[in-house]
Every structure is written in structure tokens, then in C-alpha cells.
Amino acid sequence: MKLCRTLQNAVKFRSAFDFGEREVAHWFPGHMAKGLKQMKSNLKNVDCIIEIHDARIPFSGRNPLFQESLDVRPHLLVLNKVDLADTSNKQSILKRLERDGVRNVVFTDCLRQQDDNVKKIVPQVVELIENRPRFHRGEERNYCLMVIGVPNVGKSSFINALRRTNLKKGKASRVGAEPGITKAVLTKIQVCERPVMHLLDTPGVLPPRIESVETGIKLALCGTILDHLVGEDVIADYLLFTLNRLERFSYVEKYDLGEPCDSVEQVLKRIAIKLGKTQRVKAITGIGNITITVPNYTAAAYDFIRAFRKGELGKVMLD
Ligand SMILES: Nc1nc2c(ncn2[C@@H]2O[C@H](COP(=O)(O)OP(=O)(O)OP(=O)(O)O)[C@@H](O)[C@H]2O)c(=O)[nH]1
């Protein structure tokens, strides 16, 4: 990495990303409005809202429509996938969230067998509920929580982690690598025996309007929007731009690039060659037809993005 740092001085990186004329409107599937409606109609039975979001984007892409429900119930923000996030600036993240009115925040890694922060969730939630009036649920001794969040942030994994930790039970919620796995109506799942605590699992709901194209691409990079809706090429390019901006140069070594590079075409070409993701195509030339081997850029982009999502390109903070 030292070598990369020295070489990096010689490479001129882009100072800003060109988003072009991109439109985010069509990145958001229609079934999401229905999900939100269902959630609202179930709110009266809920004592606390647990909002899960990706720790790599603590400020971007949270659904402002959730705010409405958050006002009337205690709220805990779970920043999940902390194993993929650079949280060296945790204090400033917490301060900024507090300025935005978010006071209760927990960082989790729900894939870890034993995550200390997951263990603290039940006591923390009980305290939050006990410190607020429960209105019409004053007599109710059981607790009911609603888990909300944009797609693919780990809502189902969170529920499974709570069950594993508190009930020593296995999976109740389906987990998927693609956004939009939880599409069914709200499911009530027990996560604790003492006190009796249930969770309502909800489908991931994206904001109806996104503040900027950049936020949309960050959400896509985190796997929240289906890749093909945004385009693997632009996600890969934004990823490269981000890795260079953050000086995360492990991609150089991983793909034998020799030095950091700001051209996504060059990087993808290298990845395609290294991983054998090439295609043979016929070309018509002045001297007859020949077959040439060309890089499969889309397959290479997909690999680059997947490596990032698995944490193979280092921990990052996208906000
Ligand atoms: N690295 C890492 N991956 C996680 C973590 N939690 C969940 N995942 C992965 O993220 C992906 C999505 O997880 P889910 O639990 O299905 O997410 P969801 O929010 O229920 O998804 P939807 O049903 O689409 O709304 C899966 O591939 C999980 O394995 C985590 O803490 N760390």
C-alpha cells in the first residue's frame, strides 16, 4: 500500500463525479407505496420503531416518510453492516444524527454470531418504551416493535440475529442478497421471551423522491436499488471515484493494476482480463472477417461492485 501511496501522487484523480443527465425517478418500483400504507395501518399496535439503515450511508437515503411515524413512537436507529463501514469518525456521525433529532443509535453486524450491540437491543428498547407514555397500550405487558428501512439493509438479518441472541432460535425471516426480498404483508415474529417481544417485519420502502442522483447511486452501491435499474457501469465508476477519493487503494493490488487509476474503462478491462470475463466477437475488416476477444465490461463491473459489497475493497464511509 505504501507503493500505491507514492504512485498515487503521480495519478490525477477527478475532483467531482459527473452524474450527467441521469434521472432517478424510474429507480423506484411501484410496490413500495403499498408497503408504506400497510405499515401505517399497523402503527397503533406498535410500541417502538426500529429503523435499520446501512452504516456506510448514515445520513443519505433514509426515508423521510418514516419521520411521520417516528414522531409518535420511540425510535431506535440501527446502523447495520458496520463490518463494511469505516466508523473511525463515530462521534461525529452520532453528533450529526443528534442534530437531526436522532438520539438513539446502535451500530450492528447482524451476520456475526455474537454481536454485543445486538445483545443490548432488547434492554435498550425496553428502556425507551418505559420512558414514554404507551397511550392505549398502557395495559399491554407484551412489547411490539416495527422494523422499517429501505430495501436490503438487513432487516430480516436483524430479526434473525435478535432471535438467535434472545431465543437461541434459528431463522424466521428470509434473507436475500438482492433488494426487495420481503414483499409479503407484515409478519409478526417473536424475538424475546422475557419480556415477551414481537417484531413486525416490513418490506423495504425507498423514499418516493430521492434528494439527489448521488444519493441514488450511493443507495445502489449499498445494494438497495436493483443494479440494472441504475446501470452497473455507472455504479462501478462511482465506486472507483469513491475508492480513490477515500484513498482506499486495495483494488490496485487485488486486480494487479500496478498503480491507482481513475479510468473505469481501464480498471474494468483489467478485471475482465484477470477474471477471464471476455467475449469472442466477429469483426468485419477490409481484409475479411476476424474473431477478436473483447472484455465483458458489464460482468467486470458486476464483479467489482460485488467485491466492494463483500468488504473485499476495504471499509468505507460513503457520506
Ligand atoms: N456484511 C454484512 N452483511 C449483512 C449484514 N446484515 C445483512 N447482511 C446481508 O445483506 C443482505 C440483505 O439482508 P436482508 O436481511 O435480506 O435485508 P432486508 O432489509 O430484509 O431486505 P429486503 O427484504 O429487501 O428489504 C443479505 O445478503 C445479508 O446477508 C451485516 O451486518 N453485515
Side-chain angles (χ1 to χ4, degrees), residues 122 162-163 166-167 189-198:
V122 167
L162 276 187
R163 281 171 61 84
N166 298 301
L167 291 178
I189 302 161
Q190 184 167 5
V191 290
C192 191
E193 190 59 57
R194 245 178 274 151
V196 175
M197 194 176 273
H198 287 91

Side-chain angles (χ1 to χ4, degrees), residues 80-81 83 109-111 152-157 175-176 180-182:
N80 188 37
K81 308 198 184 185
D83 53 307
D109 169 0
C110 287
L111 296 191
N152 220 31
V153 285
K155 294 179 292 300
S156 302
S157 305
V175 173
I181 288 291
T182 315

Side-chain angles (χ1 to χ4, degrees), residues 92-108:
S92 71
I93 296 172
L94 293 175
K95 262 197 196 135
R96 181 163 160 196
L97 286 169
E98 193 170 350
R99 271 205 307 274
D100 296 344
V102 186
R103 274 170 208 89
N104 309 301
V105 184
V106 185
F107 290 85
T108 56

